[in-house]
């Protein structure tokens, strides 16, 4: 089985990365960034062609999501992909999927087991999970919540009774796997920033990057990222092809990517020293994104327990995982 990306997929990721580098986040450019991401087709990847989408699959999102992570983009691109997949084939598809693909609306998605959703304050539609089933409603109350990552606007939501969409864990698997792809980008960028800093910062007459202790920390962080990336690609391939192992693969990817991002964040902060704690240095944007998304869609410990439970169940002894 080959998980390498095609030339077209790599070019798509490069185009998304170039756009995010060119258009600043926040302020007046916020809506423009979302519209331009839609113009590139990022929001339409999982939308069927009959609804104005590209009719692609999860593997087509790997490169652009990693590019979004490298740019620390706060836009809810993962949630848009999860929403597109949930709405496909439903009575709401004809109304909402063209709007989602064109970037004309935000669709908020709650994380299973919580009443919180990113960008719900800007959303026209809410998809929420309750008791293992997903529903949709355009009527919901929103209460802003503090977050370690202010750019990722988090809200508590209270939905009115909605329309039943689907049951099962596939939306959760998709959210976990695609967030893992984003985290690989976040971690990669933090390592690059830290290597650059370590080559410039001098102590005792030498660049701190020349010291073995610093080299080993950076090497360990890089190894964690490089081990996580193929696991994420496997998860996307499993989701795209409806593999029976897709839940296990998604959880393995999220666990490894969360660990890799957390290690990269810790290493970056330690090597940068005091400057890494300040708002004057850009590192805080990636640190916040790593910390918030490592916990989103289930943290590493949760997904390790889930993998263990699924492996045991595959041997004929079903178990419940929290």
């Amino acid at each position: 089985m080959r998980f390498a990306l095609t030339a077209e997929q790599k070019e798509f990721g490069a185009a998304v990365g170039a756009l995010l580098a060119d258009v600043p986040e926040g302020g007046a450019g916020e809506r423009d960034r979302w519209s331009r991401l839609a113009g590139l087709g990022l929001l339409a990847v999982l939308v069927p062609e009959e609804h104005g989408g590209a009719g692609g699959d999860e593997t087509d999102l790997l490169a652009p999501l990693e590019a979004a992570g490298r740019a620390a983009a706060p836009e809810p691109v993962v949630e848009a992909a999860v929403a597109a997949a949930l709405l496909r084939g439903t009575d709401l598809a004809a109304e909402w999927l063209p709007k989602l693909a064109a970037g004309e609306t935000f669709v908020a998605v709650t994380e299973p087991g919580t009443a919180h959703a990113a960008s719900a304050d800007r959303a026209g539609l809410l998809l929420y999970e309750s008791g293992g089933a997903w529903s949709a409603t355009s009527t919901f109350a929103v209460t802003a919540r503090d977050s370690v990552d202010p750019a990722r606007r988090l809200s508590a939501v209270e939905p009115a009774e909605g329309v039943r969409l689907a049951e099962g864990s596939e939306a959760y698997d998709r959210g976990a796997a695609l967030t893992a792809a984003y985290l690989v980008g976040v971690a990669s960028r933090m390592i690059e920033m830290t290597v650059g800093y370590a080559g410039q910062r001098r102590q005792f007459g030498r660049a701190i990057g020349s010291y073995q202790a610093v080299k080993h920390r950076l090497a360990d962080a890089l190894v964690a990222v490089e081990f996580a990336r193929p696991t994420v690609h496997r998860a996307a391939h499993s989701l795209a092809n409806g593999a029976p192992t897709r839940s296990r693969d998604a959880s393995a990817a999220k666990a490894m990517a969360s660990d890799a991002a957390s290690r990269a964040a810790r290493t970056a902060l330690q090597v940068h020293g005091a400057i890494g704690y300040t708002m004057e240095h850009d590192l805080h944007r990636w640190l916040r994104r790593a910390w918030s998304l490592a916990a989103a869609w289930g943290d590493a410990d949760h997904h390790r327990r889930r993998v263990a439970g699924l492996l045991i169940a595959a041997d004929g002894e079903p178990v419940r995982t929290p």
Side-chain angles (χ1 to χ4, degrees):
M1 190 176 293
R2 190 167 181 269
F3 299 136
L5 300 179
T6 66
E8 291 79 7
Q9 289 171 333
K10 292 177 181 178
E11 290 173 4
F12 188 22
V16 170
L19 186 155
L20 291 171
D22 182 55
V23 184
E25 69 176 76
E30 183 174 356
R31 176 60 66 173
D32 184 46
R33 275 169 61 105
W34 188 249
S35 297
R36 291 180 65 175
L37 287 172
L40 277 180
L42 180 57
L43 309 181
V45 170
L46 299 189
V47 175
E49 292 181 9
E50 61 266 30
H51 295 303
D57 61 41
E58 287 77 8
T59 63
D60 297 318
L61 286 168
L62 289 170
L65 283 176
E66 187 168 335
R70 292 177 62 84
E75 286 80 11
V77 289
V78 169
E79 288 77 7
V82 173
L86 274 170
L87 290 169
R88 288 184 308 209
T90 70
D91 293 339
L92 299 177
E95 178 184 359
W96 288 98
L97 284 178
K99 296 178 183 178
L100 178 62
E104 295 174 0
T105 188
F106 288 90
V107 178
V109 182
T110 62
E111 294 179 23
T114 77
H116 295 90
S119 300
D121 58 328
R122 298 176 286 177
L125 185 70
L126 173 70
L127 308 184
Y128 62 97
E129 185 267 351
S130 178
W134 287 88
S135 299
T137 180
S138 58
T139 305
F140 53 94
V142 176
T143 305
R145 288 286 183 262
D146 291 334
S147 171
V148 69
D149 185 0
R152 186 171 181 265
R153 292 148 65 159
L154 201 62
S155 302
V157 293
E158 295 182 21
E161 185 174 354
V163 178
R164 182 68 63 92
L165 297 178
E167 296 185 6
S169 61
E170 188 170 332
Y172 182 63
D173 297 336
R174 185 170 289 104
L178 297 182
T179 301
Y182 187 104
L183 281 168
V184 167
V186 172
S188 297
R189 179 59 181 142
M190 283 192 292
I191 292 171
E192 290 180 5
M193 293 171 69
T194 307
V195 169
Y197 179 80
Q200 296 175 0
R201 177 76 167 89
R202 302 184 68 82
Q203 205 166 41
F204 305 113
R206 296 167 55 186
I208 62 172
S210 66
Y211 292 104
Q212 193 173 55
V214 175
K215 291 180 181 179
H216 284 185
R217 286 187 179 278
L218 289 167
D220 288 345
L222 180 60
V223 167
V225 173
E226 294 303 320
F227 270 72
R229 184 179 283 110
T231 310
V232 173
H233 286 213
R234 168 60 184 266
H237 185 275
S238 294
L239 284 164
N241 291 279
T245 59
R246 59 187 179 274
S247 292
R248 183 199 68 191
D249 296 338
S251 282
K254 184 57 166 64
M256 293 188 70
S258 294
D259 282 343
S262 297
R263 178 186 285 272
R266 185 167 58 251
T267 299
L269 198 53
Q270 289 173 332
V271 174
H272 278 83
I275 189 65
Y277 287 87
T278 68
M279 294 291 287
E280 285 74 17
H281 197 286
D282 281 345
L283 178 63
H284 74 89
R285 294 172 54 211
W286 282 265
L287 292 173
R288 291 169 184 267
R289 211 60 38 88
W291 293 331
S292 63
L293 292 181
W297 296 93
D299 62 14
D301 287 342
H302 167 77
H303 282 288
R304 275 190 284 270
R305 291 193 298 269
R306 192 169 184 244
V307 169
L310 290 166
L311 287 172
I312 294 171
D315 286 337
E317 298 181 23
V319 297
R320 291 187 63 185
T321 56

